[in-house]
Amino acid sequence: MSLDEIDLIDGRNFVAGVPHHWFAELRREAPVYWHAEEVAPRGGFWAVTRYDDCVQVNRDWEHYSSARRGSLFHEMDEDQLAQQQLMMVNMDPTMHTRYRRIVNKGFTPKMVRDLEATIVGYADGIVDAVCERGTADFVEEIAAELPLLVIAELLGVPQEDRRMVFDWSNRMIGSEDPEYQLPGVDPGEAAMQVYSYAEELASQRRLAPKADLVSVLIDAEVEGEKLDQLELDLFFMLLVVAGNETTRNLMSGAMTAFFEHPDQWELLRKDRSLLPGAVEEMLRYVTPVMHFRRTATGDFELRGQEIKEGDKIVFWHTSANRDENAFENPGVFDVTRSPNNHIAFGGGGPHFCLGANLARMEIMVMFDRLLERIPDLRLDGEVQRLQSNFINGTKHIPVAFAPSAPVGGTPLPARAR
């Protein structure tokens, strides 16, 4: 095929599934490829697709900046950019390091271990809520619920408000997908609703602090100054989206992979000790966040290509995690794979995912409870995928299983609509 036929921009090209055949072609023929895009400065972007190169771009912030033009694919005007540069994901060290320290204490291995019993209770409550029916939408009723419950608890969001958080997050991340957009409503309105909600919650915590991350953010200081309201709003939005979208779509994508590879589900059902390694394979195989963007800080060479200062560079985790030079049989879903040095959380460096430990815990617990309580889980309709070139997402997975009695997990709070 001609490389000119490859279009990684249009989210519609990802609805049927990640176009891994395109990424395989790029890795073979043009691992650092100038992908034309009419609306972007300089006419396009460099698509970086091999494992080693993606790791290099992710770690080397001095040559590949998150701060200059942000870390997301789309272009922003100068006012939007100035605002988004206050968000940690769009910073470079040393400022990024200072902001990261603020929330780091909420995601330490000890904090995650201390949450395990709570997460198990929530997971059993989620299964309780559907087990008597014997049917469910796996995405909305199972995969989405656990990360929503956990991030709401960490942030101090009332649990009944988690549905609003879910809807706002869908509208922001799924801005290309018609299902998540309201007629006549600007997708940016969802971000404004998140900001408004964050400000209301912050006002409450100033009067009555609690043991949650919003209270931590209110008291935090960077270079001797407290965060202003916009910085608080952006922190809140980052934590809401990162704590919800990625884990939900990982679990949904993994469940789809198990339906396509039932032998792997059976392996786990017979031997639960394989689950930690299986979680890593789910992360590699699904790779929920497919790429991030950087901007070149000067003129240099990358794998024989002349990069110019200001060039847009997009490195694709989803391609790196299928690189034939980094993984044996990378297209195979194998829960016993070892070693498995995937970069679903980033390839190390300053932007390594802050919530990696928490995400692993949630995935492990949820699949453990599913294997224990509804091991006959089966697909009962059509999988509907998200229209996006950024999130490897799934909107709906109808499932069926043998009805059973609840075990008494943590009852799910009512959800505000």
Side-chain angles (χ1 to χ4, degrees), residues 170-186:
N170 279 343
R171 285 162 56 195
M172 288 186 291
I173 292 297
S175 60
E176 293 181 72
D177 198 294
E179 179 176 338
Y180 292 140
Q181 300 314 315
L182 301 177
V185 176
D186 186 335

Side-chain angles (χ1 to χ4, degrees), residues 1-74:
M1 66 177 295
S2 167
L3 295 180
D4 292 339
E5 298 174 40
I6 293 175
D7 179 2
L8 302 178
I9 301 166
D10 191 339
R12 291 173 296 184
N13 293 328
F14 292 75
V15 172
V18 178
H20 287 295
H21 60 295
W22 281 353
F23 289 112
E25 185 76 7
L26 288 172
R27 289 193 301 271
R28 281 193 303 270
E29 302 297 330
V32 179
Y33 174 66
W34 184 249
H35 192 306
E37 181 187 10
E38 296 298 327
V39 298
R42 302 182 61 81
F45 63 93
W46 292 104
V48 178
T49 52
R50 284 190 185 171
Y51 181 96
D52 290 343
D53 298 332
C54 288
V55 170
Q56 177 183 340
V57 172
N58 190 56
R59 290 182 176 179
D60 184 0
W61 59 269
E62 293 179 300
H63 288 92
Y64 307 95
S65 170
S66 299
R68 286 207 177 186
R69 298 298 308 177
S71 62
L72 299 183
F73 185 90
H74 61 272

Side-chain angles (χ1 to χ4, degrees), residues 66-330:
S66 299
R68 286 207 177 186
R69 298 298 308 177
S71 62
L72 299 183
F73 185 90
H74 61 272
E75 296 302 316
M76 294 177 276
D77 62 33
E78 293 307 313
D79 288 341
Q80 290 175 312
L81 179 62
Q83 183 184 93
Q84 291 300 308
Q85 284 170 331
L86 298 173
M87 188 181 290
M88 188 171 64
V89 72
N90 298 318
M91 294 178 178
D92 295 326
T94 58
M95 188 58 70
H96 174 275
T97 309
R98 293 168 184 158
Y99 274 75
R100 188 179 176 101
R101 287 196 194 110
I102 293 172
V103 292
N104 209 24
K105 65 183 73 172
F107 295 95
T108 64
K110 181 182 184 303
M111 289 288 288
V112 173
R113 287 195 300 271
D114 290 346
L115 276 171
E116 183 174 6
T118 299
I119 293 173
V120 171
Y122 280 148
D124 270 325
I126 289 165
V127 178
D128 283 350
V130 300
C131 66
E132 291 181 282
R133 294 203 323 262
T135 61
D137 182 326
F138 185 88
V139 177
E140 293 207 359
E141 296 181 84
I142 297 176
E145 282 284 29
L146 186 59
L148 280 172
L149 288 162
V150 173
I151 199 62
E153 175 151 323
L154 287 171
L155 286 169
V157 171
Q159 289 292 353
E160 61 270 20
D161 289 351
R162 70 191 188 281
R163 183 71 208 189
M164 294 190 300
V165 171
F166 175 78
D167 290 339
W168 293 331
S169 181
N170 279 343
R171 285 162 56 195
M172 288 186 291
I173 292 297
S175 60
E176 293 181 72
D177 198 294
E179 179 176 338
Y180 292 140
Q181 300 314 315
L182 301 177
V185 176
D186 186 335
E189 181 66 24
M192 300 309 296
Q193 290 174 304
V194 171
Y195 296 158
S196 177
Y197 187 88
E199 289 165 17
E200 180 182 345
L201 200 58
S203 296
Q204 295 172 10
R205 293 299 180 269
R206 288 188 180 97
L207 295 173
K210 294 186 178 182
D212 57 42
L213 281 174
V214 170
S215 298
V216 169
L217 293 175
I218 289 169
D219 287 337
E221 293 185 355
V222 177
E223 298 183 333
E225 294 187 9
K226 288 186 179 290
L227 302 178
D228 64 26
Q229 189 58 57
L230 178 57
E231 289 172 312
L232 282 168
D233 293 348
L234 290 166
F235 245 128
F236 185 85
M237 179 162 60
L238 176 62
L239 292 168
V240 160
V241 172
N244 164 29
E245 287 285 343
T246 53
T247 307
R248 177 229 303 188
N249 283 301
L250 181 284
M251 289 194 284
S252 299
M255 196 69 249
T256 302
F258 280 120
F259 288 141
E260 294 169 349
H261 304 86
D263 59 313
Q264 299 300 296
W265 183 259
E266 188 65 14
L267 276 176
L268 286 182
R269 192 187 68 78
K270 291 179 177 178
D271 185 358
R272 211 73 57 78
S273 71
L274 296 174
L275 194 50
V279 169
E280 302 308 313
E281 179 66 348
M282 295 179 212
L283 287 160
R284 182 197 71 86
Y285 193 80
V286 176
T287 312
V289 178
M290 292 190 282
H291 64 72
F292 273 116
R293 179 256 182 94
R294 300 290 186 261
T295 301
T297 61
D299 297 349
F300 52 84
E301 185 177 293
L302 177 62
R303 199 172 285 277
Q305 298 295 332
E306 295 295 327
I307 310 296
K308 300 296 184 183
E309 182 176 0
D311 277 357
K312 178 178 179 178
I313 299 161
V314 180
F315 62 106
W316 295 83
H317 310 99
T318 194
S319 176
N321 281 339
R322 299 291 183 101
D323 189 341
E324 300 80 358
N325 293 311
F327 302 94
E328 186 176 350
N329 298 320

